[in-house]
Amino acid sequence: MPKNYISNKDETVRMFRNDLLESLSRVHWSVPLIIYLPVIAYLFYLSGGVFGIWQISFYFILGLIVWTFTEYALHRFVFHYEPESEIGRRLHFIMHGVHHDYPNDSKRLVMPPSVSVPLALFFYFIYLYLLGDKAINPFFAGFLSGYLIYDMTHYAVHHLRIKNKFWLMIKKHHMRHHYKDATKGFGVSQKTWDVIFKTDFIDS
């Protein structure tokens, strides 16, 4: 399979003629931490008034696990869906194609708030309906923590010098997705669901 990148430099292409839209499509890696860490802390605060440590831990871990599947499913079935219409292809490029063309663009490695906030609200209200107004707090704290791990991992594997064996394995997994076969390796922060659904890379 041919390599599917244009540039390995920290550069990008302009996606929008409008300066405001263009600015909203690019973000510093620290912005998700600034936005979501206080939200996670507040969710923990709300949880403490209702549940004990074991119940909080259970729902928090459940939220983390659900995020890992969400990460895999979004990447595989949404970000890599290839529509046939011109508008669809344009939306696909804006959503994810630009990252494959410019994988080391440091301002398009974490999800911009213009996308992550509406998505977070979407998932929040789905799980609020499913879990109720008590369990949602520790669960969503775990879900958002998983999202932050995903975003920070994605930035790290593209831009940091990694020496730890575990994180080197995660980096290798993601680099293969970019430079070997984009139809495999959809997990970014972990590869659990790639193994389960047989989209992992098998070493010869």
Side-chain angles (χ1 to χ4, degrees):
M1 179 171 290
K3 294 180 179 180
N4 57 352
Y5 66 92
I6 292 175
S7 172
N8 272 328
K9 297 179 180 179
D10 186 356
E11 61 184 7
T12 192
V13 64
R14 188 179 180 95
M15 292 200 302
F16 300 98
R17 293 180 181 178
N18 182 277
D19 289 339
L20 176 60
L21 290 177
E22 180 66 17
S23 67
L24 291 175
S25 74
R26 309 192 73 202
V27 62
H28 190 268
W29 65 267
S30 64
V31 170
L33 295 174
I34 294 169
I35 292 174
Y36 292 105
L37 283 179
V39 176
I40 292 168
Y42 183 63
L43 291 171
F44 272 124
Y45 169 76
L46 295 176
S47 303
V50 178
F51 293 129
I53 185 65
W54 293 111
Q55 289 172 302
I56 291 174
S57 298
F58 169 79
Y59 283 114
F60 179 81
I61 292 171
L62 180 62
L64 276 174
I65 293 170
V66 171
W67 165 259
T68 63
F69 177 76
T70 303
E71 170 190 317
Y72 175 88
L74 282 175
H75 194 182
R76 180 177 181 180
F77 299 111
V78 178
F79 295 165
H80 277 273
Y81 174 73
E82 297 184 5
E84 296 183 0
S85 68
E86 183 176 346
I87 294 176
R89 288 195 298 269
R90 171 66 176 159
L91 288 174
H92 173 265
F93 179 78
I94 291 171
M95 186 167 53
H96 194 63
V98 66
H99 174 56
H100 275 267
D101 286 352
Y102 297 89
N104 290 321
D105 174 11
S106 59
K107 296 296 178 64
R108 288 196 171 117
L109 285 174
V110 300
M111 201 174 291
S114 56
V115 176
S116 70
V117 171
L119 271 179
L121 290 172
F122 171 76
F123 284 117
Y124 177 83
F125 286 110
I126 287 178
Y127 293 123
L128 175 63
Y129 175 77
L130 294 174
L131 297 172
D133 59 1
K134 295 180 180 179
I136 184 62
N137 295 319
F139 173 88
F140 212 65
F143 190 84
L144 288 179
S145 296
Y147 160 68
L148 287 183
I149 292 169
Y150 153 78
D151 252 358
M152 297 305 105
T153 298
H154 194 209
Y155 183 86
V157 298
H158 279 281
H159 270 280
L160 300 186
R161 293 183 178 180
I162 298 173
K163 296 182 179 180
N164 178 273
K165 289 184 178 180
F166 172 80
W167 291 110
L168 279 174
M169 179 269 292
I170 295 296
K171 179 173 183 173
K172 180 180 180 181
H173 181 72
H174 189 58
M175 292 303 104
R176 284 180 165 187
H177 171 75
H178 274 283
Y179 302 123
K180 183 178 181 180
D181 189 348
T183 66
K184 295 180 179 179
F186 297 104
V188 176
S189 64
Q190 40 67 48
K191 61 178 187 175
T192 306
W193 298 103
D194 282 303
V195 173
I196 292 173
F197 292 113
K198 302 182 189 293
T199 53
D200 192 16
F201 296 97
I202 306 299
D203 291 315
S204 58

